[in-house]
């Protein structure tokens, strides 16, 4: 975690991601900019965070331990997303950890200074309620998805993350998000290649048969 002392850059992130729309309080006056390396933890389970974060660059994974050292990806987030609002804002211990899966940058509000300000900000509380409702539904979706075949989960993931027919998501991160082993993911991708659904091009995959991917993804509903 590294403090970035650049007010212009902080202001640009707030503007570009429309973060001020989350609250009536002056976000620029309350916040600072921090960077994280890949693998760094923003939030540790059972440890109250000192900050409320807004992810503005990179990807993070929210996960919890199922048993032993095995972890389950609960969610992964992209820029513009608040982190820590469900527990640290209220002084509670988080039940999940948040880890950077790519280098990340966050706008951070120190809670020891501004917890009361945020708790009195009606617009902020309304937005947080909406976010928590979405995450509650996401938890239900996660429970349902863990019963799906890996082929179905992977097909849905590729359809959601390809750009112009090219899938370039880092596979180790993909495996963690889908809650499968890296080896199992590679076997499934190989089966997609054998079926001429995907073609490997260097470190990316070209979609040859998007209709078949859609059919595999729809197996969830049958």
């Amino acid at each position: 975690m590294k403090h970035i002392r650049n007010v212009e850059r902080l202001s640009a992130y707030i503007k570009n991601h429309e973060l001020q729309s989350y609250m009536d309080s002056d976000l620029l006056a309350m916040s600072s900019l921090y960077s994280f390396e890949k693998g760094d933890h923003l939030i540790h389970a059972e440890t109250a965070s000192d900050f409320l974060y807004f992810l503005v660059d990179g990807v993070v994974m929210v996960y919890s331990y199922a048993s032993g050292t095995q972890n389950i990806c609960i969610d992964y987030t992209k820029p513009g997303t608040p982190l820590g609002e469900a527990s640290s804002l209220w002084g509670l211990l988080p039940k999940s950890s948040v880890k950077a899966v790519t280098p990340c940058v966050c706008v951070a509000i120190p809670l020891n200074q501004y917890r009361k300000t945020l708790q009195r900000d009606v617009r902020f509380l309304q937005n947080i309620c909406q976010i928590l409702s979405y995450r509650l539904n996401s938890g239900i979706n996660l429970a349902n998805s863990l019963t799906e075949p890996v082929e179905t989960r992977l097909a849905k993931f590729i359809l959601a993350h390809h750009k112009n027919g090219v899938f370039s998501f880092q596979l180790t991160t993909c495996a963690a998000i889908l809650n499968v082993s890296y080896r199992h993911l590679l076997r499934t991708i190989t089966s997609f290649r054998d079926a001429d659904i995907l073609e490997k091009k260097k470190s990316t995959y070209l979609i040859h048969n998007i209709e078949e991917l859609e059919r595999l993804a729809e197996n969830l509903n049958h």
Side-chain angles (χ1 to χ4, degrees):
M1 181 177 178
K2 181 181 179 181
H3 189 187
I4 303 173
R5 301 181 186 277
N6 188 323
V7 176
E8 291 77 14
R9 188 176 172 189
L10 170 63
S11 178
Y13 275 126
I14 292 174
K15 180 180 179 179
N16 292 340
H17 292 285
E18 300 181 342
L19 299 184
Q20 186 57 61
S21 65
Y22 276 94
M23 62 188 72
D24 290 319
S25 307
D26 186 346
L27 178 56
L28 181 61
M30 295 192 299
S31 61
S32 299
L33 206 58
Y34 287 89
S35 64
F36 297 84
E37 297 298 323
K38 178 181 177 180
D40 285 352
H41 276 83
L42 287 70
I43 296 173
H44 288 273
E46 302 299 333
T47 303
S49 175
D50 294 328
F51 296 94
L52 173 73
Y53 296 107
F54 286 92
L55 180 68
V56 292
D57 193 12
V59 179
V60 301
M61 180 173 70
V62 183
Y63 72 93
S64 63
Y65 290 103
S67 61
T69 59
Q70 180 184 0
N71 56 41
I72 291 181
C73 175
I74 298 171
D75 197 5
Y76 70 100
T77 57
K78 294 183 178 181
T81 306
L83 300 165
E85 77 294 332
S87 54
S88 299
L89 180 61
W90 310 106
L92 303 176
L93 299 181
K95 298 302 180 184
S96 304
S97 297
V98 180
K99 181 172 69 173
V101 295
T102 68
C104 294
V105 177
C106 290
V107 172
I109 301 174
L111 290 172
N112 62 333
Q113 291 179 255
Y114 297 109
R115 179 179 279 110
K116 294 297 184 183
T117 301
L118 293 173
Q119 289 175 347
R120 291 192 292 262
D121 190 313
V122 175
R123 187 198 293 189
F124 178 74
L125 294 178
Q126 289 173 334
N127 280 307
I128 293 306
C129 285
Q130 186 176 24
I131 290 167
L132 293 179
S133 297
Y134 166 79
R135 289 183 177 166
L136 178 61
N137 288 334
S138 294
I140 296 171
N141 292 337
L142 169 66
N144 291 334
S145 72
L146 291 177
T147 65
E148 298 171 9
V150 176
E151 291 80 5
T152 296
R153 281 184 268 167
L154 178 58
K156 291 173 67 176
F157 194 86
I158 293 173
L159 288 171
H161 294 92
H162 77 87
K163 292 182 180 179
N164 300 318
V166 178
F167 180 69
S168 57
F169 210 95
Q170 187 178 39
L171 295 186
T172 52
T173 304
C174 179
I177 291 170
L178 296 179
N179 293 301
V180 299
S181 70
Y182 182 64
R183 183 176 296 180
H184 195 167
L185 178 67
L186 289 181
R187 286 200 300 267
T188 307
I189 287 178
T190 298
S191 72
F192 283 12
R193 292 172 62 190
D194 291 343
D196 201 30
I197 298 171
L198 300 177
E199 177 189 356
K200 187 172 184 179
K201 284 288 187 181
K202 296 184 178 179
S203 60
T204 66
Y205 292 87
L206 305 182
I207 299 176
H208 275 194
N209 191 337
I210 198 165
E211 291 80 10
E212 182 62 15
L213 273 181
E214 291 170 343
R215 189 191 68 79
L216 288 168
E218 289 169 0
N219 283 348
L220 167 66
N221 300 317
H222 296 295

